Each structure stands twice: as C-alpha cells, then as structure tokens.
Amino acid sequence: MAGDNPGQGAEWWRGCVIYQVYPRSFQDTSGDGSGDLTGIAARLAYIASLGVDAVWLSPFFKSPMADMGYDVSDYRDVDPMFGSLEDFDALVAEAHRLGLKLIIDQVISHSSDKHEWFVESRASRDNAKADWYVWADARPDGSAPNNWQSLFGGPAWEWDATRRQYYMHNFLSAQPDLNFHTPEVQDAVLDTVRFWLERGVDGFRLDTVNYYVHDRWLRDNPPLASSVAGTNGATSTYAFQEHLFDKTRPENLDFLKRLRALLDEYPGRAAVGEVGDEERSLQTLAAYVSGGDKLQMCYTFDLLSPQFSAAHVRGCVEAFESAVADGWVCWAFSNHDVVRHVSRWTWPGGNPDTVAKFSIALLACLRGSICLYQGEELGLEEAELAYEDLRDPVGIRFWPGVKGRDGCRTPMVWEAEAENAGFSTAKPWLPVPQAHRARAVDVQDGWDGSVLSAYRSILALRKHHPALVGGSIRFLDAEGDLLVFVREGGGERLLCAFNFAGEPAGWTLPAEFGQVEAIDLAVDASGSLGEGGLALPPLGGFLARIA
C-alpha cells in the first residue's frame, strides 16, 4: 500500500489550494494518446512548484467511458487506459514525498450500466440487488413514471425490456442512479470509499453530492416559471423545472453523516462536495458543511458562471458567510465542466493574460479553500473544436446550440515545439490547439511576466499571510464595479481591492484605518495609494497591510 498520510495538521484542507488534474489530458506515457497515472506522477514536481497543497484527480476507475469516466463500472480498480492499482500506489507515494495531498473523485450517485451491480439488478425484480437502483413501473399509458428530466436532456427514465420497468438516470441512460433508500447500497458505497482510504488517499471530491437521494414517492417536479417564460436561456429540458424531488432531498444529510463518520476513522482525511442546485446552491452548501458532522467543505457553480462583476462575487461570498457559521467553502473559477474562465471573462479586445492574473489574485484573497484547474496557470483559453473532434456526449447531442465540455479538456501543453506539445507521442484523444502552444510550460517557466510566474508568486503570497489562508472577511462599500474587503487573522489585517471595470476607479480609505502599507500582488495593473485614497486601473488589484 501507499505511504501514510503526510502531516500538515488534521485541518490541512482549511484554506488549502487544490490543483485539479483531468487524467486523460495531463500526460501520456504509454503512447496511446490518452494521459495516465504514470504521467501524472512524472509531473507532480511541476504541480508542487506552483505552491499548491493538494491534487484532485478526476475519475480514473474502470469505465466504458460513455461520460469520460464519470460512468464507473468498477469502483475498486483502475481503468487500463490509465494504468494499474500499482501505478496508483506509486502516485500516492510520490505525492506524499513531495508534500502534496491526494484527493480522488467519487462518483457514487450513479454507476455505469455495465457495473456488475446494475447487471444483476436489471436481471429480474426479485434478485438480491433488485432494489439497488431506482426502478419504477410505467404509467397506464406506458409513459415514464413522472416528469423528471435528465441533466443531459430528455426524460430521466429509460425503459428496460427485461424487467419491464423504467430506471432513473439523472445523466446519460448509461448512468443509472443508485437507490440510496436501500441500506445495502449505502453500505456498499461506503465500502468502496474505505478501499481507497486504505490505499492512502487524503480526501475525496464527491461528484454531484446533492443527487444521491431521490423522493421515494416519485412526485413530479413543478415547472420553473422563468424557464416557461423563456427568460433563462434554457438549452436543455432540465432547466424548465424546479428540482424539488429528484435531488437535494433531506435524507441525504443522514448519508453524509455516515460518510463523515467513516472519514473520521482515518485522521486527516477530508471531503469536498460538488453542489449543483440552481436556485438553492448556497443554502444546500450551508446544510452540507455545518455542524462538523457532514462534509468538511463544498463548492458550487456560482463562481463558475459567465457573471463577472464585483456585485456577483460579493453576493456569493456574503450569502455563504451569512448562511454558515461553522462550515467551510471551496471557491473555483474553472473546472472540467465549464468554459475556461479566461474565455468567459475576457471582453472583446481584452488581454487574456491580464484577466488570468487578476482572477488568481482575486481567488487567492477570498475566504475559503480554492481550486485551480489544470492549464489555468498558463492562461489557457477555451479551445474551439470542430464537431468531428468532439468526444463529450453533451456536445455531440446538442451541437451547435451547446458545444459541450471538450473545449476545456484539451491536452496540457508542456513544450511549445514538441510533438503534440509534449503531451503524447501518439495522436491525442482531443486535438492540441495551436494557440495553446505559445502558452506552454517551457515558454512561461522562468519568465517573470508570465501567467505561470504570477500564479506561483500569488500562491506563495497567500501561503505567507495567515489572514488570507484562514482569516475572516468583511466587505466594504464601494462605488461602481469595485470589490473591497478586509481579511483579518493570525495577527494581521489586510485590505484587498479589485476593479472589475474597463475604466479606472478610485476609493477613499476609511478614517478608521491607520497606516496602510502596499504589498506587491503580481497583477498586470496594480493599484496605488495617494493623498486622495486608492487609485485602481482597469482590472487592477491592490493588497495592503493595515496597521
């Protein structure tokens, strides 16, 4: 088995910086065009050089890859595409040698339809696993049991000719939902979690954590008025409902308590949950992290949206802070499911590098843990792919209205002039965008003005200031698109200011402030202090110590 959990304290996760790796696109060492665990291990020193605390691996389990590994057919083994369990153990050991924590995805709201549990469950209505998945009879007219919709479009029900019943799938029909109302299912799922704890992992990212439990009476969801009116730009039928009964059920809290009890058997382990809950995301997050008996932290999609303004960021952070007295949040601007934030937030004619540096400075100053997505430290923009290059089932189905998630999943660029930018010696599973080569690691490494250099400097700065890692946050009023707040803790008070606008902004320092000493924030446009107060250029940032 891999080495023991390294130190850094039982609450290492509080204020930590997590780096997300999408294994299929990180580094290929086997020559098949897809990344693997050995490749990740070989690049861990690079990840450590960024100054992060933990690495999160997206799924590497055995899978038919209908949804790129988020359809698991064996929770206790590595898909041959990525290597072996021995390769995983070596990866854990190398991460711990470098002082990095290792977090792995757990996709337990659903499995693959090729999982042995589902194969047995669908065989008959009276076998030992007959109720391990969500089965229901058809309505008298043969239609689905209720109006629930799949997140990937269309009904959340698939007819099975063997059982002559429908089964529920929140995502693809190849991803049947497990039935968490069955105690044996909870036991089996927790046993798979224990398997990886025994192999030395430090934590789990819980995919779709609020989808585990469904309404046992299968009540219809009510329509969402704004969707019916066509005002929310819905591109999927899923967005036309208020999801009261197909997810975020109160019984889920009981399972999360069981999960936390298991984690607590292994000192220093932690879980971060992904909450997708549209209108109620922050309230759900608050419920899942409060009380110290459920998850250590969660993240939502609130800051993974196209909205880019001081008011939006302040609203999200203050909503969490007011809802949760004793819980913790994890903030992220990009991940494997959304358009890269540099592309989302760079206005026409703007400089993506400036946006990238501004964004990491802002993220590093927020209260909470933070999660980075591979390639954002290079300022990578969303890739524009041809339809014939797509692998994501969402993009393939809904093109061109929705282009899918492949644009943020293209291979990591290591060497600008190397074959496939150093990712693989074979044709990559997704193309390497030509525009990304100019931002390769070997181009930016050692260049003080690069996005990569800014990431390293800002993450080092965050680690140096205890107020940024774990201090309190208090917002101050400011005119226009200006975000101003104070972080306090560890014997220091820090003033943080960010101008989201395309024009300069000014701010008058409160009389209560004593001496204010500026700290270099490593952004392209830094604010300055004068007799009139604080002056910030467009997309400018400012950090200072308050006496």
Side-chain angles (χ1 to χ4, degrees):
M1 295 296 172
D4 290 336
N5 184 36
Q8 302 174 21
E11 290 200 339
W12 59 268
W13 48 269
R14 194 180 293 275
C16 73
V17 179
I18 303 169
Y19 184 89
Q20 180 192 357
V21 169
Y22 194 73
R24 197 167 183 176
S25 295
F26 202 63
Q27 180 67 70
D28 174 27
T29 60
S30 64
D32 64 355
S34 292
D36 46 55
L37 296 181
T38 301
I40 297 169
R43 296 293 190 181
L44 281 177
Y46 163 78
I47 297 174
S49 78
L50 300 175
V52 305
D53 304 295
V55 180
W56 152 30
L57 300 185
S58 288
F60 52 84
F61 315 105
K62 269 192 176 174
S63 167
M65 299 293 160
D67 187 24
M68 304 301 115
Y70 283 88
D71 50 317
V72 180
S73 58
D74 189 341
Y75 287 105
R76 296 168 176 261
D77 206 355
V78 174
D79 193 276
M81 173 191 297
F82 300 118
S84 64
L85 282 170
E86 290 72 24
D87 294 331
F88 178 80
D89 292 341
L91 175 59
V92 175
E94 177 64 3
H96 289 173
R97 186 187 73 80
L98 292 167
L100 295 169
K101 304 290 186 179
L102 193 69
I103 297 169
I104 66 172
D105 243 308
Q106 285 291 281
V107 190
I108 55 178
S109 69
H110 53 267
S111 74
S112 165
D113 61 353
K114 302 298 189 293
H115 196 293
E116 61 180 16
W117 296 346
F118 187 72
V119 171
E120 182 176 350
S121 185
R122 79 189 312 175
S124 69
R125 299 191 186 191
D126 57 3
N127 65 76
K129 292 184 173 60
D131 61 349
W132 278 42
Y133 291 81
V134 185
W135 294 96
D137 291 330
R139 287 173 170 168
D141 64 357
S143 60
N146 61 25
N147 71 345
W148 296 352
Q149 297 291 297
S150 162
L151 194 72
F152 288 174
W157 297 96
E158 183 75 6
W159 175 256
D160 181 73
T162 301
R163 281 186 55 145
R164 300 182 66 198
Q165 285 183 303
Y166 282 94
Y167 66 85
M168 177 188 172
H169 58 93
N170 267 306
F171 300 93
L172 296 176
S173 60
Q175 296 168 291
D177 274 65
L178 285 157
N179 182 8
F180 277 73
H181 290 294
T182 300
E184 291 82 5
V185 168
Q186 293 194 20
D187 294 342
V189 163
L190 291 175
D191 201 39
T192 67
V193 173
R194 186 183 295 277
F195 175 84
W196 295 104
L197 287 168
E198 289 292 326
R199 295 200 95 88
V201 303
D202 302 290
F204 301 92
R205 179 263 186 186
L206 301 171
D207 184 65
T208 59
V209 70
N210 58 308
Y211 285 72
Y212 295 168
V213 182
H214 68 284
D215 176 51
R216 64 171 72 243
W217 296 282
L218 304 182
R219 287 171 285 185
D220 280 352
N221 284 326
L224 190 63
S226 61
S227 290
V228 174
T231 60
N232 72 342
T235 55
S236 166
T237 55
Y238 189 84
F240 284 79
Q241 295 183 356
E242 185 177 1
H243 293 274
L244 297 182
F245 299 114
D246 52 350
K247 64 180 182 182
T248 321
R249 302 301 300 158
E251 301 96 324
N252 202 29
L253 296 174
D254 295 328
F255 174 73
L256 296 182
K257 290 176 182 179
R258 292 193 66 193
L259 175 64
R260 177 60 179 267
L262 172 58
L263 291 177
D264 286 347
E265 294 179 26
Y266 297 81
R269 280 21 178 220
V272 53
E274 175 201 34
V275 173
D277 203 16
E278 295 83 39
E279 306 298 321
R280 300 170 293 164
S281 60
L282 289 170
Q283 295 94 320
T284 301
L285 187 154
Y288 285 11
V289 300
S290 64
D293 59 350
K294 295 176 283 294
L295 304 181
Q296 280 83 358
M297 54 184 174
C298 285
Y299 76 88
T300 74
F301 284 78
D302 292 81
L303 296 185
L304 293 165
S305 73
Q307 295 175 272
F308 181 61
S309 69
H312 178 65
V313 173
R314 177 173 179 173
C316 291
V317 175
E318 284 192 324
F320 171 78
E321 293 292 329
S322 63
V324 184
D326 58 347
W328 199 249
V329 68
C330 183
W331 299 115
F333 292 160
S334 281
N335 69 15
H336 65 290
D337 279 332
V338 299
V339 172
R340 287 184 176 276
H341 69 267
V342 169
S343 293
R344 296 200 316 268
W345 295 341
T346 300
W347 51 73
N351 186 335
D353 286 4
T354 299
V355 174
K357 295 173 186 178
F358 176 88
S359 300
I360 184 57
L362 169 63
L363 188 63
C365 288
L366 294 180
R367 182 175 186 265
S369 300
I370 63 175
C371 188
L372 316 177
Y373 178 53
Q374 67 178 51
E376 74 167 78
E377 77 277 11
L378 305 177
L380 295 188
E381 297 177 80
E382 185 80 355
E384 287 292 335
L385 301 178
Y387 177 79
E388 54 267 25
D389 290 325
L390 297 185
R391 306 294 292 273
D392 179 19
V394 176
I396 292 170
R397 178 172 183 181
F398 293 113
W399 181 279
V402 176
K403 294 185 177 180
R405 302 164 291 179
D406 289 327
C408 67
R409 297 176 177 183
T410 54
M412 186 72 172
V413 284
W414 300 102
E415 303 167 57
E417 302 300 325
E419 181 181 14
N420 300 314
F423 165 71
S424 176
T425 57
K427 180 182 178 181
W429 75 289
L430 284 175
V432 176
Q434 186 63 29
H436 284 188
R437 287 180 176 270
R439 297 177 177 275
V441 172
D442 69 338
V443 173
Q444 299 197 40
D445 210 7
W447 170 28
D448 286 344
S450 69
V451 175
L452 178 58
S453 174
Y455 264 72
R456 286 172 169 156
S457 297
I458 290 168
L459 294 181
L461 179 71
R462 175 182 166 94
K463 192 166 288 188
H464 181 71
H465 289 282
L468 294 181
V469 175
S472 63
I473 189 168
R474 175 171 60 94
F475 287 93
L476 304 174
D477 290 335
E479 297 292 328
D481 213 358
L482 189 61
L483 185 70
V484 183
F485 54 92
V486 173
R487 299 293 311 277
E488 185 170 1
E492 62 177 356
R493 274 200 308 164
L494 301 178
L495 172 66
C496 309
F498 295 90
N499 179 20
F500 287 71
E503 56 276 336
W507 188 71
T508 303
L509 272 65
E512 67 188 76
F513 285 5
Q515 184 179 355
V516 178
E517 177 189 356
I519 300 170
D520 183 14
L521 195 51
V523 293
D524 275 358
S526 295
S528 59
L529 280 172
E531 290 185 8
L534 177 60
L536 282 152
L539 287 184
F542 181 77
L543 180 67
R545 186 177 291 105
I546 305 170

